[in-house]
C-alpha cells in the first residue's frame, strides 16, 4: 500500500512539474528583453521585440514587473492607418501613426502589467491592437510625461490684468510677449478651450483663451503668468482653462479589425485625440477601465476627445464598472458609418462615398456583409442586400457589388448604405461619468442596448 502511495505521489509531482514548466515556457518577461523599471530609458524597441516573440508563443503572457517604463517615438513602429472620426485630409494629411506598443497578428496573448506604468513621450499612440484575436491587457497604467493638453488656473483677476498658474505638467514659452504651449517635439497651434469651474464642478466651452492669446504676457515666476487684459475681462478666480490642439493626429489606443479583446483594471491617465478607438472589431470588453487622471497628478483633463469610441464594431460591446472623468467630448460613443450613393455603376454595383470629413479610408464593407439602404432624411431603412465584392477606388470612394439589383428608389447623392453586419449589442453598467463638457453616452445601433446602474454627474 505504501508503494502505491509513493507511486501516486511521484506521478503527481511529475505532473505538477510539467504544468509548472509549461507555465514558465508560456511566460515572456520584459526583463528578458532588457526592460527594467525606473531606468527612464527609451524601451520602445525592447518592448516591441518582446511582443514580437509572442508570435511564436500563442497563449503566452507578457509579464511586467511593477514600476515605470518610458516609451519615446524614436524607434517606434510607424504605420499608415485610417481611423474613424479623427482628422480630415486638410487637418492632418498624413495618416501615419506612431505606435508605442503594437500587437499585430497575434492570437491569445495576455499583457500582465502588475501595476506597471507605461510613460509615453512626444506625439504617440500608446497602444494598438490590429488583426488579432483573444488579446487581454490587464493591470496596466498608461500616462504621458507631458500630456498633449495644458491647464492654467486663474489665481488673481482685476480690471486690465489677470494672473494664471500653470499646472506643473504644462510647459510653455513666452515669445514676443505671447504664450506658446509646447511639449516634447510639438507646439499647440489650433487650440480648443474648455473652462472648469470648481464651484459647480462643470466644464463649459470658453472663449477665454482667444482673448488671452492676443494679450501681452509676462512671466512673474516659473509657472506663473500675468496677462494684460481688456478691462471688461473678468473671469472667476479658481477656474481652470483646459487647452488642447484640435488636430487628432494620434489616438489613446486603437483596436483595429480584431476580435475578443478585453481590457481589465487598466488606467488611461491621458489620451491625445480620440481615446480608446475600437474599429470594425468583434466582441470588445472593458472592465474596471479608468479613463481619468491620476488623483495625485492634480490634472483635470484625461482625453482631448471621446474616452471610448466604437466605430463599425459587431458582436458584443461590454463596458462594466469603468470610471470616466475629464474629457473634451463624449465618454462613450457607439456608431457605424453610412456611405452615400454617388453613382449607380451597373445593375448591382454602386459607388459609395465616405461623407464625414474626419472619417474615410476604412474597410467599411466585406464580402458576405448584410447591408441596407437608408433614407438620410428619415433614417428609415429599406431594402436589404448582401455584399459580393468591394473595390477601394480611393480613400473616399468604394465600388460595392451586391447580390441583387439596386432598388429603383435609390437616389444618387442622397440615399445611403448601412452595414448591418457591423452593428453591435451594447451593455454599459456600473460606470461613473463626470466632468465632461458634452454627453455621457451616445449609442447608435439597431441591436439591443442596455444602459443600467450608472452614475452621471456634472456633464455638459
Amino acid at each position: 500500500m505504501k508503494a502505491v502511495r509513493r507511486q501516486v505521489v511521484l506521478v503527481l509531482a511529475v505532473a505538477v512539474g510539467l504544468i509548472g514548466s509549461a507555465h514558465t515556457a508560456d511566460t515572456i518577461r520584459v526583463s528578458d528583453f532588457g526592460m527594467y523599471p525606473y531606468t527612464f530609458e527609451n524601451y520602445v524597441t525592447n518592448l516591441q521585440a518582446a511582443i514580437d516573440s509572442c508570435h511564436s508563443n500563442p497563449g503566452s503572457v507578457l509579464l511586467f514587473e511593477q514600476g515605470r517604463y518610458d516609451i519615446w517615438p524614436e524607434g517606434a513602429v510607424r504605420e499608415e492607418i485610417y481611423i474613424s472620426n479623427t482628422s480630415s485630409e486638410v487637418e492632418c494629411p498624413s495618416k501615419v501613426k506612431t505606435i508605442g506598443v503594437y500587437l499585430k497578428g497575434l492570437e491569445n496573448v495576455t499583457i500582465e502589467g502588475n501595476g506597471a506604468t507605461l510613460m509615453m513621450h512626444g506625439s504617440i499612440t500608446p497602444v494598438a491592437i490590429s488583426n488579432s484575436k483573444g488579446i487581454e491587457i490587464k493591470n496596466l497604467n498608461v500616462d504621458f510625461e507631458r500630456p498633449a493638453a495644458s491647464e492654467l488656473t486663474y489665481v488673481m483677476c482685476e480690471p486690465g490684468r489677470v494672473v494664471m498658474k500653470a499646472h506643473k505638467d504644462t510647459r510653455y514659452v513666452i515669445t514676443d510677449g505671447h504664450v506658446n504651449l509646447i511639449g516634447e517635439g510639438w507646439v499647440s497651434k489650433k487650440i480648443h478651450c474648455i473652462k472648469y469651474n470648481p464651484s459647480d464642478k462643470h466644464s463649459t466651452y470658453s472663449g477665454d483663451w482667444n482673448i488671452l492669446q492676443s494679450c501681452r504676457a509676462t512671466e512673474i515666476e516659473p509657472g506663473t503668468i500675468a496677462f494684460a487684459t481688456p478691462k471688461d475681462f473678468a473671469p472667476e478666480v479658481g477656474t481652470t482653462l483646459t487647452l488642447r490642439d484640435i488636430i487628432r493626429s494620434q489616438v489613446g489606443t486603437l483596436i483595429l479589425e480584431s476580435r475578443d479583446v478585453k481590457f481589465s483594471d487598466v488606467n488611461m491617465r491621458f489620451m491625445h485625440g480620440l481615446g480608446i478607438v475600437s474599429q470594425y472589431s468583434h466582441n470588445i470588453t472593458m472592465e474596471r477601465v479608468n479613463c481619468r487622471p491620476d488623483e495625485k497628478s492634480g490634472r483635470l483633463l484625461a482625453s482631448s476627445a471621446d474616452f471610448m469610441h466604437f466605430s463599425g464594431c459587431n458582436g458584443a460591446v461590454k463596458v462594466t464598472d469603468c470610471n470616466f472623468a475629464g474629457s473634451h467630448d463624449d465618454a462613450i460613443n457607439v456608431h457605424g458609418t453610412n456611405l452615400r450613393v454617388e453613382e449607380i455603376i451597373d445593375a448591382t454595383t454602386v459607388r459609395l462615398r465616405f461623407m464625414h470629413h474626419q472619417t474615410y479610408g476604412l474597410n467599411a464593407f466585406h464580402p458576405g456583409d448584410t447591408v441596407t439602404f437608408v433614407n438620410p432624411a428619415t433614417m428609415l431603412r429599406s431594402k436589404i442586400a448582401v455584399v459580393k465584392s468591394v473595390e477601394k477606388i480611393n480613400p473616399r470612394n468604394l465600388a460595392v457589388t451586391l447580390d441583387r439589383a439596386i432598388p429603383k428608389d435609390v437616389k444618387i447623392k442622397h440615399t445611403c448604405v448601412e452595414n448591418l453586419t457591423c452593428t453591435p449589442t451594447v451593455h454599459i453598467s456600473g460606470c461613473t461619468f463626470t466632468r465632461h463638457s458634452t454627453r455621457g453616452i451616445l449609442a447608435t445601433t439597431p441591436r439591443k442596448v442596455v444602459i443600467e446602474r450608472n452614475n452621471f454627474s456634472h456633464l455638459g
Side-chain angles (χ1 to χ4, degrees):
M1 193 67 179
K2 290 182 180 179
V4 172
R5 287 176 180 170
R6 281 196 296 271
Q7 289 176 350
V8 171
V9 171
L10 180 61
V11 169
L12 288 173
V14 171
V16 170
L18 289 173
I19 293 171
S21 298
H23 176 74
T24 303
D26 292 339
T27 299
I28 299 171
R29 300 177 184 275
V30 297
S31 58
D32 294 337
F33 293 81
M35 293 181 63
Y36 302 96
Y38 302 112
T39 66
F40 304 96
E41 300 174 20
N42 181 11
Y43 278 144
V44 68
T45 55
N46 306 64
L47 183 51
Q48 197 58 52
I51 293 168
D52 291 344
S53 71
C54 296
H55 283 281
S56 56
N57 293 278
S60 58
V61 176
L62 185 62
L63 190 66
F64 286 80
E65 296 177 30
Q66 188 175 13
R68 166 174 164 155
Y69 301 82
D70 288 72
I71 304 293
W72 270 269
E74 290 75 21
V77 173
R78 286 175 167 81
E79 187 166 315
E80 183 182 71
I81 305 175
Y82 289 84
I83 303 178
S84 176
N85 295 78
T86 51
S87 60
S88 69
E89 294 92 334
V90 174
E91 291 172 331
C92 189
S94 173
K95 303 306 172 188
V96 174
K97 306 302 174 190
T98 303
I99 303 169
V101 181
Y102 199 15
L103 295 91
K104 184 175 183 179
L106 292 173
E107 187 170 338
N108 299 328
V109 171
T110 298
I111 293 183
E112 171 55 73
N114 279 324
T117 295
L118 299 181
M119 188 62 71
M120 299 291 159
H121 297 262
S123 180
I124 194 169
T125 293
V127 179
I129 300 168
S130 174
N131 297 106
S132 295
K133 177 182 177 181
I135 304 298
E136 181 172 5
I137 297 179
K138 59 183 182 178
N139 302 315
L140 190 68
N141 307 301
V142 176
D143 205 347
F144 275 78
E145 178 73 15
R146 167 50 169 130
S150 302
E151 301 181 11
L152 293 95
T153 302
Y154 293 106
V155 294
M156 191 279 287
C157 300
E158 62 184 19
R161 186 173 184 266
V162 302
V163 177
M164 305 191 77
K165 183 73 174 178
H167 187 276
K168 62 181 178 62
D169 292 340
T170 293
R171 300 177 190 174
Y172 63 89
V173 292
I174 298 177
T175 306
D176 297 328
H178 297 282
V179 173
N180 291 293
L181 302 172
I182 63 171
E184 297 176 303
W186 55 263
V187 58
S188 291
K189 295 179 179 179
K190 299 180 179 180
I191 296 176
H192 184 67
C193 176
I194 298 289
K195 181 188 292 186
Y196 174 73
N197 191 332
S199 62
D200 63 10
K201 298 182 180 180
H202 272 83
S203 298
T204 56
Y205 292 103
S206 171
D208 283 18
W209 191 250
N210 292 334
I211 296 172
L212 293 170
Q213 276 188 305
S214 63
C215 297
R216 190 157 191 85
T218 306
E219 186 175 64
I220 298 175
E221 62 181 22
T224 304
I225 309 167
F227 293 86
T229 58
K231 290 186 178 180
D232 60 349
F233 183 64
E236 185 177 345
V237 171
T239 59
T240 297
L241 301 187
T242 58
L243 309 159
R244 49 89 177 174
D245 202 303
I246 65 170
I247 303 302
R248 301 174 178 181
S249 56
Q250 305 287 340
V251 297
T253 286
L254 176 63
I255 302 170
L256 177 65
E257 297 171 11
S258 296
R259 29 186 323 121
D260 303 323
V261 176
K262 180 179 181 180
F263 282 37
S264 58
D265 300 292
V266 172
N267 294 311
M268 303 299 294
R269 300 308 190 187
F270 183 81
M271 293 178 281
H272 173 57
L274 281 183
I276 303 172
V277 181
S278 301
Q279 182 170 302
Y280 291 97
S281 291
H282 177 85
N283 289 351
I284 306 296
T285 301
M286 299 285 167
E287 291 182 353
R288 298 177 304 281
V289 176
N290 297 310
C291 298
R292 62 184 181 187
D294 189 332
E295 292 181 2
K296 296 177 183 177
S297 73
R299 298 198 306 252
L300 295 171
L301 193 62
S303 179
S304 43
D306 300 349
F307 273 134
M308 290 185 183
H309 195 100
F310 301 89
S311 176
C313 292
N314 61 12
V317 167
K318 298 179 181 179
V319 183
T320 307
D321 299 328
C322 297
N323 292 287
F324 304 93
S327 72
H328 272 193
D329 213 330
D330 310 310
I332 299 176
N333 190 346
V334 183
H335 68 88
T337 300
N338 293 357
L339 278 69
R340 193 174 75 178
V341 176
E342 295 293 286
E343 177 187 3
I344 297 176
I345 297 174
D346 58 39
T348 59
T349 305
V350 288
R351 178 169 64 86
L352 305 178
R353 179 177 173 82
F354 289 97
M355 298 306 299
H356 189 282
H357 69 294
Q358 295 177 322
T359 300
Y360 62 103
L362 317 182
N363 295 323
F365 299 96
H366 302 85
D369 287 350
T370 298
V371 300
T372 183
F373 291 88
V374 179
N375 181 343
T378 63
M379 294 305 293
L380 294 177
R381 301 176 177 90
S382 58
K383 299 294 192 298
I384 289 177
V386 175
V387 175
K388 290 185 66 177
S389 65
V390 181
E391 177 191 354
K392 181 177 283 189
I393 300 169
N394 55 47
R396 280 282 173 190
N397 293 272
L398 304 173
V400 177
T401 300
L402 305 176
D403 68 338
R404 61 202 69 184
I406 307 302
K408 299 296 184 183
D409 58 353
V410 167
K411 297 180 181 179
I412 294 173
K413 296 189 181 297
H414 180 76
T415 304
C416 296
V417 176
E418 177 184 11
N419 190 336
L420 290 175
T421 296
C422 296
T423 55
T425 63
V426 178
H427 191 175
I428 302 170
S429 65
C431 299
T432 299
F433 303 83
T434 188
R435 214 168 64 238
H436 308 303
S437 58
T438 55
R439 299 144 298 203
I441 300 172
L442 298 180
T444 308
T445 174
R447 303 187 191 276
K448 184 176 181 179
V449 176
V450 177
I451 300 172
E452 61 179 357
R453 298 186 300 103
N454 300 289
N455 185 300
F456 300 87
S457 65
H458 307 107
L459 304 185

